[in-house]
Amino acid sequence: HQFYLEDDPDFKQAVNNIAQRVAAASGQNALPFTCTILQSLSINAFSAPGGYIYLTYGLLKFAQTEDEVAGIIGHEVAHICLRHASKLYHEVMEINSHQEEGLHSTAKLLFLHSHLEEFEQDADTKGILYAQKAGFNPKGLLDFLERHLNFMMHRRLFGMLDSGFTLKITARLNHLRECLSNLEKSNN
């Protein structure tokens, strides 16, 4: 993919307003957050250490509400606040330092994969809290992910993937539903 930056100032401002509200709700006031829109039709978002959040134009067009965008941004803000990239880097370095001890590459991959799933669930949990604290409906992330899964299944984008991938996505959605249910109970 070739990426270039979105240059519609009103669109950028609307997305950045959501990002700043969600970032402020995270309590990480010492870290400036920067939200950049990449001109790509893919549906994706990612973050980098230092407060950098990247959203694709395709993701923003697929989103139907500000609540959905806030949930996605909350997820990315949570990755940054929880220092997932740094933790992953240190885990990779630790695993690589034990190469001479005969730790098989399959075991390394399974270990890292389990941590990636844990990081995703942690970011979902914190992200919906940040979105709610910023005044958005915390159900936005779940709504987006459910619709995206349905879109991918309808388009048969999972055709070449095994059922394990679908199970992982379903587990993530169920985790989100449980978090939202607990959040609702705690608010009553």
Side-chain angles (χ1 to χ4, degrees), residues 151-168:
F151 172 78
M152 291 191 312
M153 292 183 79
H154 183 318
R155 294 280 186 139
R156 298 174 194 225
L157 296 177
F158 285 145
M160 296 187 292
L161 302 174
D162 64 18
S163 61
F165 183 78
T166 306
L167 289 173
K168 289 174 193 160

Side-chain angles (χ1 to χ4, degrees), residues 1-34:
H1 275 95
Q2 290 254 334
F3 293 115
Y4 58 94
L5 304 181
E6 173 61 46
D7 62 0
D8 177 343
D10 293 335
F11 189 60
K12 284 176 26 179
Q13 186 61 47
V15 172
N16 269 298
N17 286 344
I18 296 170
Q20 293 310 313
R21 285 175 56 191
V22 173
S26 74
Q28 288 289 342
N29 300 332
L31 183 65
F33 285 87
T34 304

Side-chain angles (χ1 to χ4, degrees), residues 7 39 42 52 54 62 65 74 104 120 129 146 151 185:
D7 62 0
Q39 220 10 299
S42 68
Y52 296 96
Y54 299 91
F62 189 77
T65 66
H104 295 291
E120 286 302 299
L129 291 173
E146 286 176 333
F151 172 78
K185 288 175 189 172

Side-chain angles (χ1 to χ4, degrees), residues 19 30 45 74 107 121 125-126 145 158 178 181 186:
Q121 286 193 352
T125 302
K126 285 284 190 194
L145 292 174
F158 285 145
E178 182 181 330
S181 174
S186 70

